Amino acid sequence: MKKLIFFIAFICITTTSISQINEIGIIAGGSNYIGDIGPENYINPNNLMGGVIYKWNKNPRIALRGTFTFAKLTSDDANATNNERHLRGISFTNSLKEIALGLEFNYFEYNLDDYSKTRTPYILIEIAAFNYKTIIDGTDPSNYEYGTNTSFAVPFGIGYKTKLFGDFALALEIKARYTFVDDLDYNNSEIPSLNFGNPNSNDWYVFSGFSLVYSFGRPACYSTPY
């Protein structure tokens, strides 16, 4: 009998260590831009963002994740606290589509099948590719010619997730994206009317919101990590 109990426990441990735990859901919230136009607040969601998320929980402390997000970015010098910007009076509206892959590191062990482990803060590190609009020609807003560009960003963030009920969980998170471009606001040194700001400072954008996910594919022995 002891050998049988040991064998069952061994199977549970082995299954726990190799089985995939999947989560899929939606993300929604607000977005904001940080750059050469408008206010300089880092967390200032003034537009909507939304998308989908998938996670693969490698173990109770680490999750691999991927997201697709659509967001609108806008800013206006009329809302700037910097007097020079306020007097300048420039504004813009842009939109972007982003694909991001990364890691979630849970501060505590996370397991929806164990009541004592159904909530935890976490940190997030990702790499992202995004597509956005640019202005490639023209002299003023009446004749600007628009194009698109794809670039990369290094996102990082923090969050807190908790079980809602059953296999559903909710996470709140803030994610900052440092980009390698300076034209999310249509800045263009070759067009006089769009040559503004600091050319040595790239743009940022920030997502603040929540994700609602459904977990599936949970191995039967996951709740017994002995």
Side-chain angles (χ1 to χ4, degrees):
M1 178 62 70
K2 290 183 178 179
K3 290 183 178 180
L4 178 60
I5 293 173
F6 177 80
F7 177 74
I8 294 174
F10 175 77
I11 293 297
C12 286
I13 293 171
T14 304
T15 304
T16 298
S17 65
I18 64 175
S19 296
Q20 298 182 15
I21 303 171
N22 305 285
E23 297 179 45
I24 190 167
I26 60 171
I27 53 180
S31 60
N32 68 278
Y33 143 98
I34 307 164
D36 296 317
I37 295 177
E40 300 171 84
N41 309 81
Y42 279 88
I43 302 175
N44 183 34
N46 59 358
N47 277 290
L48 295 177
M49 68 87 177
V52 294
I53 183 170
Y54 168 78
K55 299 183 188 180
W56 178 79
N57 291 279
K58 178 176 173 60
N59 57 50
R61 297 295 294 273
I62 298 176
L64 308 179
R65 57 182 271 168
T67 58
F68 173 79
T69 308
F70 177 84
K72 185 177 179 181
L73 300 178
T74 185
S75 197
D76 192 329
D77 281 343
N79 301 318
T81 55
N82 181 311
N83 191 54
E84 183 177 340
R85 290 190 180 189
H86 191 82
L87 293 173
R88 183 180 58 184
I90 300 176
S91 64
F92 84 98
T93 298
N94 205 336
S95 60
L96 61 83
K97 303 178 186 70
E98 180 201 81
I99 295 176
L101 300 173
L103 293 174
E104 274 184 23
F105 297 92
N106 299 325
Y107 188 77
F108 303 115
E109 288 192 359
Y110 182 71
N111 177 3
L112 292 184
D113 288 337
D114 185 336
Y115 178 77
S116 65
K117 300 177 181 179
T118 57
R119 60 188 65 85
T120 181
Y122 60 89
I123 60 173
L124 173 65
I125 300 175
E126 296 176 298
I127 184 71
F130 63 97
N131 182 267
Y132 63 102
K133 293 193 299 182
T134 62
I135 295 177
I136 57 178
D137 200 6
T139 58
D140 60 70
S142 65
N143 60 14
Y144 284 151
E145 180 182 345
Y146 291 85
T148 61
N149 187 37
T150 299
S151 187
F152 296 91
V154 179
F156 52 89
I158 57 174
Y160 182 86
K161 56 187 175 183
T162 183
K163 180 176 181 176
L164 282 181
F165 56 87
D167 292 322
F168 287 90
L170 178 72
L172 304 176
E173 61 183 30
I174 299 172
K175 303 174 288 184
R177 270 82 165 116
Y178 171 78
T179 76
F180 297 96
V181 297
D182 189 33
D183 59 351
L184 292 180
D185 49 19
Y186 303 120
N187 194 341
N188 190 326
S189 60
E190 298 180 359
I191 301 176
S193 60
L194 296 175
N195 188 9
F196 54 82
N198 183 357
N200 298 315
S201 178
N202 290 335
D203 295 331
W204 294 65
Y205 59 95
V206 179
F207 293 151
S208 308
F210 70 91
S211 62
L212 176 65
V213 299
Y214 171 75
S215 300
F216 63 98
R218 187 174 301 278
C221 296
Y222 187 84
S223 61
T224 311
Y226 303 111

